Each structure stands twice: as structure tokens, then as C-alpha cells.
Amino acid sequence: MNKQIAPSILSADFSRLGEEIKAVERAGADLIHVDVMDGHYVPNITIGPGVVAALRKTTKLPFDVHLMIEDPDRYIDAFVDAGSNILTVHTEAVIHLHRTVHYIKGKGVKAGVSLNPSTPLGSIEEILPDIDLLLIMTVNPGFGGQKFISSMLPKIRKAKEIIQEKGLGLTIEVDGGVTPENIGALAQEGADIFVAGASIFGSPSYIETIKKMKGILAGS
Ligand code: DX5
Ligand code: ZN
């Protein structure tokens, strides 16, 4: 697949979320990454399905919704109804992951599974054929603007190898501390979708930053 940029609105101006989404859409974003945090699974609270539903009207770009919440099964229907296109749950937060993944897919939405930096790939190997997207965290989830954990690079490579060995078509997404400086290395290891919050929304020009990232991806 073509490599894609997914700006994380966690680092956008929350008082102008609709405008911020339109700005990154104009700047060339491929997806909008929405970080949902509950103050339990991660030590931060962000937005819920009501805000996602309101934002749905501001763009045609797919919504890549990253659920960093305890017991996400309780909220899947709400986030599907709000207009999510990809729903990603954390394997560490779900008891019956196979059931959850198939429930999401049964709703006509792509199912993603995310792994924290300390969670081994082996914990999800058996479910790879069932999922659409594997989200490898390159920071500990909870906040934007954290430092990229470079020891995740071999994990991405290993995931890519396993996916190729199994002949699967699923997408690898990386999230946390992604910048124009490390995006090339992430692409080389096999990542397909690059979530970037602070490096886009904290930059003086969204269009220049996304253009720079895409230029690096095109050459990688
Ligand atoms: C971290 C979130 C990320 C975060 C990325 O818990 O899942 O999506 O917003 O932001 P940056 O790119 O600033 O690390
Ligand atoms: Zn995220």
C-alpha cells in the first residue's frame, strides 16, 4: 500500500478542532488519527464519541480511532456510530481479543490492535490473520510530544517479517514521536501508516511538514 500520514489531533488546538482537521486535510493528510483516553488505561483524558461524531462532519478523510481505554468493548458501538473507519484497541486492555476484533469487523469497520512498547509481538501472532491493522506504539501511550523509543525499530521489522511469512495483507501503523527525522527509518523497517501529532501541529507550516514527510517516504 501507499505509505500514509495520519496527523494525531491530540496536538491540535482543541478550541478549533474542526478547522485544524480541515487544515491538515488541505495539507495532504491521508487519515485523521483520533486519540481516545479514559484516565484509567492511560493517565490522561481526551475525547469521547460525541466529539468524534461532531468532527465527522468536517472532513471526508477516514477517522483512525485509537482507543486507549479500559474495557473498550463497552464503547465500540458508540465509536462506530460516531463515524470511525478504523477502530484500534489495545491488546493489554481486552480480555477476549478475538471476539472484540470480530465484533468490530462485523460492524463494517476496520479492526486494529495496538501493542505498547513492552508488549511482545508473540502476544498477537495468532490473531494477525483476523485484523486489518497492527499499531506498534513507539512511545508509552498517554501524551503527545513524547520522545520516540528507537528500540521499537527492530520490533517493526520483526512484525513486517512475520506478516510477510504468513502472506498477510495487514497494515503496520506506528504512533509516537514520529518526525521528519525518523520517518525514513520507520518506513525502511516496514511501517505503512505514520501517526504524527506534535511534529505536524507544532510546526509552523502543516503543508511543509507533511510535504517533507511524504518526500522522505517517496524516496524510502
Ligand atoms: C500517544 C498517542 C499518539 C500521540 C502521538 O498516546 O497515541 O497518537 O498523539 O503524538 P506525537 O506524534 O506528538 O508523539
Ligand atoms: Zn494514537
Side-chain angles (χ1 to χ4, degrees):
M1 71 173 276
N2 283 338
K3 302 208 180 277
Q4 296 185 319
I5 304 287
S8 160
I9 58 168
L10 185 60
S11 293
D13 178 346
F14 267 33
S15 71
R16 299 168 42 252
L17 275 181
E19 289 164 49
E20 292 273 71
I21 286 176
K22 286 189 176 126
V24 287
E25 180 171 20
R26 281 195 302 274
D30 299 290
L31 303 156
I32 300 295
H33 185 83
V34 183
D35 287 306
V36 177
M37 304 184 184
D38 66 352
H40 292 273
Y41 180 66
V42 289
N44 195 4
I45 301 177
T46 57
I47 64 178
V51 175
V52 176
L55 294 174
R56 184 63 284 182
K57 301 181 191 102
T58 65
T59 179
K60 288 202 165 53
L61 289 181
F63 275 1
D64 169 31
V65 177
H66 180 189
L67 298 179
M68 287 160 278
I69 61 177
E70 267 177 18
D71 196 5
D73 292 355
R74 289 185 296 157
Y75 295 99
I76 288 168
D77 285 358
F79 282 102
V80 168
D81 294 344
S84 307
N85 301 89
I86 305 170
L87 264 185
T88 296
V89 295
H90 269 262
T91 183
E92 306 88 355
V94 176
I95 296 175
H96 302 291
L97 186 59
H98 182 275
R99 180 184 291 150
T100 302
V101 160
H102 283 277
Y103 186 78
I104 294 171
K105 288 169 77 171
K107 292 273 172 181
V109 169
K110 287 190 177 166
V113 171
S114 184
L115 300 181
N116 284 332
S118 65
T119 305
L121 287 170
S123 63
I124 45 90
E125 199 166 336
E126 277 71 21
I127 208 171
L128 288 176
D130 300 275
I131 67 178
D132 298 299
L133 178 142
L134 175 63
L135 172 51
I136 298 181
M137 292 304 301
T138 43
V139 297
N140 290 294
F143 303 94
Q146 300 184 84
K147 193 175 175 295
F148 174 70
I149 302 174
S150 60
S151 58
M152 292 299 107
L153 287 166
K155 188 179 190 181
I156 299 161
R157 160 73 48 185
K158 200 165 146 195
K160 183 73 178 177
E161 284 168 3
I162 296 169
I163 289 166
Q164 281 174 339
E165 270 165 31
K166 290 182 186 280
L168 303 172
L170 72 116
T171 301
I172 298 179
E173 180 174 47
V174 289
D175 184 5
V178 176
T179 64
E181 286 66 45
N182 59 25
I183 200 167
L186 288 161
Q188 295 268 311
E189 300 302 334
D192 305 295
I193 301 180
F194 305 82
V195 176
S199 66
I200 292 177
F201 287 104
S203 74
S205 164
Y206 303 168
I207 190 160
E208 287 307 322
T209 305
I210 293 177
K211 210 159 99 186
K212 191 169 175 190
M213 287 177 163
K214 288 203 163 183
I216 296 165
L217 293 177
S220 67

